[in-house]
Amino acid sequence: MAMPLRQSVKVAAYLAEQKLRRRDKFPLIVELEPLFACNLKCEGCGKIQHPAGVLKQRMPVAQAVGAVLESGAPMVSIAGGEPLMHPQIDEIVRQLVARRKYVFLCTNAMLLRKKMDQFTPSRYFAFAVHIDGLRERHDESVAKEGVFDEAVEAIKEAKRRGFRVTTNSTFFNTDTPQTVVEVLNFLNDDLEVDEMMISPAYAYEKAPDQEHFLGVEQTRELFRKAFAGGNRRRWRLNHSPLFLDFLEGKVDFPCTAWAIPNYSLFGWQRPCYLMSDGYVPTYRELIEETDWDRYGRGKDPRCANCMAHCGYEPTAVLATMGSLKESLRAMRETVSGNRE
């Protein structure tokens, strides 16, 4: 299944506008990082490796909102660090929602129940809770016991209050098709989250753990087996059908990292949030002054094993919009989900 119908219509209209204006590079969703500080020390993340002075910084509301507006993207993923540690995160969300941006607040959920009163349910807003496996696997990945149970309770409370709740699961070479199936079945059937996003782990250069990232063939085999038996169609996955085909190895795509740009305390990061080849102060400079042809599998050795959604999901979306057959396929899956 793809994104909710209203959101699909808005994104389709946005893409059509870009085509009419003959823009060949534009943002689909902005990765906004208003801080790098976090209350966990996940082995697969390198954000908290920044110096103490950087970890104390918090992006001003006007700067955060201004960056999203500058880009013109219809969707925003607020990450970090842990966004709920930002003292004005509720105001950032309010201002973006007021401008009818679709906002996903990515969180490990440790502070979610404490901070939930600061937010208001809206079809433009969702909590995106990070869940990498069932209890033992998830707590191991975040290096702290009890995180899984707290996240589950926070998800239940958020849904009880009427919030949209999505999840984000990253899988490593220690995962098997069975562990993928188990956690997605739990999120889909037991917790009944609205949507789930999945991604193979990419060898983020600052991450403490460099041994458990997936290679391309490992990724394809893992998802091909996990998707078998009708699971792929049954799960409420927040991805285009073509991206899921890509994960299985049925199709291949070039990277379009420019479609999911990252804006952080340092500015616009190039080429993507997983690699850092410098920062620029404006979105225009990011697009016009980055040599995008240098990046992607077969071009930059750092990209050799990357199949992350930030580079390939937008390619799949653009390929869908450029094909009547694939557009109808995506529409059928959206409508079959019966989600407004």
Side-chain angles (χ1 to χ4, degrees), residues 99-145:
R99 290 165 171 82
R100 296 187 178 183
K101 301 294 184 181
Y102 282 94
V103 180
F104 298 86
L105 194 155
C106 303
T107 176
N108 58 41
M110 291 294 287
L111 296 173
L112 183 51
R113 287 197 286 178
K114 180 180 178 180
K115 302 278 189 176
M116 206 176 296
D117 287 338
Q118 299 177 14
F119 301 90
T120 302
S122 166
R123 68 171 179 263
Y124 291 101
F125 176 66
F127 290 114
V129 181
H130 199 92
I131 300 287
D132 281 347
L134 295 182
R135 181 180 292 106
E136 183 178 351
R137 293 188 69 81
H138 181 71
D139 286 356
E140 181 181 2
S141 74
V142 300
K144 186 173 182 178
E145 292 185 4

Side-chain angles (χ1 to χ4, degrees), residues 13-313:
Y14 169 79
L15 293 174
E17 179 185 356
Q18 307 314 304
K19 186 174 182 179
L20 285 173
R21 296 190 178 193
R22 297 183 179 180
R23 293 174 177 165
D24 61 345
K25 290 183 176 61
F26 48 85
L28 188 61
I29 181 169
V30 169
E31 292 271 2
L32 177 67
E33 295 180 327
L35 80 173
F36 293 131
C38 189
N39 49 4
L40 292 176
K41 298 179 180 179
C42 304
E43 290 295 310
C45 175
K47 298 298 181 180
I48 62 170
Q49 306 305 314
H50 288 292
V54 174
L55 294 179
K56 292 178 181 178
Q57 295 180 33
R58 306 291 184 262
M59 186 182 293
V61 174
Q63 182 182 346
V65 175
V68 175
L69 298 182
E70 176 197 1
S71 75
M75 298 181 288
V76 187
S77 175
I78 305 178
E82 171 51 54
L84 291 177
M85 292 177 63
H86 193 296
Q88 295 175 293
I89 189 61
D90 55 330
E91 184 61 24
I92 293 175
V93 169
R94 269 195 295 272
Q95 291 199 23
L96 291 172
V97 167
R99 290 165 171 82
R100 296 187 178 183
K101 301 294 184 181
Y102 282 94
V103 180
F104 298 86
L105 194 155
C106 303
T107 176
N108 58 41
M110 291 294 287
L111 296 173
L112 183 51
R113 287 197 286 178
K114 180 180 178 180
K115 302 278 189 176
M116 206 176 296
D117 287 338
Q118 299 177 14
F119 301 90
T120 302
S122 166
R123 68 171 179 263
Y124 291 101
F125 176 66
F127 290 114
V129 181
H130 199 92
I131 300 287
D132 281 347
L134 295 182
R135 181 180 292 106
E136 183 178 351
R137 293 188 69 81
H138 181 71
D139 286 356
E140 181 181 2
S141 74
V142 300
K144 186 173 182 178
E145 292 185 4
V147 176
F148 177 83
D149 289 339
E150 178 58 32
V152 167
E153 292 305 312
I155 289 171
K156 290 178 179 178
E157 178 63 13
K159 287 188 63 63
R160 187 187 70 79
R161 296 194 192 190
F163 287 99
R164 283 184 64 208
V165 180
T166 68
T167 54
N168 180 10
S169 300
T170 304
F171 297 108
F172 297 81
N173 65 13
T174 51
D175 277 292
T176 66
Q178 185 59 32
T179 64
V180 175
V181 169
E182 287 173 352
V183 68
L184 294 183
N185 276 346
F186 176 74
L187 297 172
N188 191 84
D189 302 336
D190 294 25
L191 285 186
E192 297 182 332
V193 300
D194 292 280
E195 297 166 317
M196 302 175 293
M197 187 171 74
I198 57 178
S199 184
Y202 168 79
Y204 184 60
E205 62 184 2
K206 291 185 178 181
D209 181 0
Q210 291 289 319
E211 298 179 3
H212 296 118
F213 295 104
L214 286 161
V216 171
E217 290 307 318
Q218 287 177 301
T219 296
R220 290 169 175 167
E221 181 179 6
L222 177 67
F223 288 108
R224 189 182 303 121
K225 292 180 178 178
F227 289 161
N231 284 331
R232 177 176 148 173
R233 292 186 61 82
R234 184 174 60 81
W235 290 328
R236 291 183 294 278
L237 297 172
N238 186 20
H239 294 289
S240 64
L242 276 180
F243 180 71
L244 299 178
D245 287 349
F246 169 76
L247 290 182
E248 288 192 66
K250 294 179 178 178
V251 296
D252 201 9
F253 292 122
C255 174
T256 49
W258 47 262
I260 306 186
N262 173 272
Y263 185 77
S264 71
L265 294 166
F266 300 143
W268 294 98
Q269 181 174 333
R270 56 185 176 198
C272 66
Y273 85 96
L274 294 169
M275 292 167 54
S276 181
D277 283 355
Y279 298 84
V280 292
T282 69
Y283 174 73
R284 182 173 181 177
E285 288 175 84
L286 174 73
I287 294 301
E288 295 181 356
E289 298 180 13
T290 302
D291 184 0
W292 298 102
D293 291 336
R294 287 176 47 200
Y295 301 103
R297 281 186 281 116
K299 299 178 180 179
D300 188 313
R302 295 172 297 176
C303 304
N305 288 312
C306 181
M307 294 183 71
H309 63 90
C310 63
Y312 296 97
E313 176 77 85

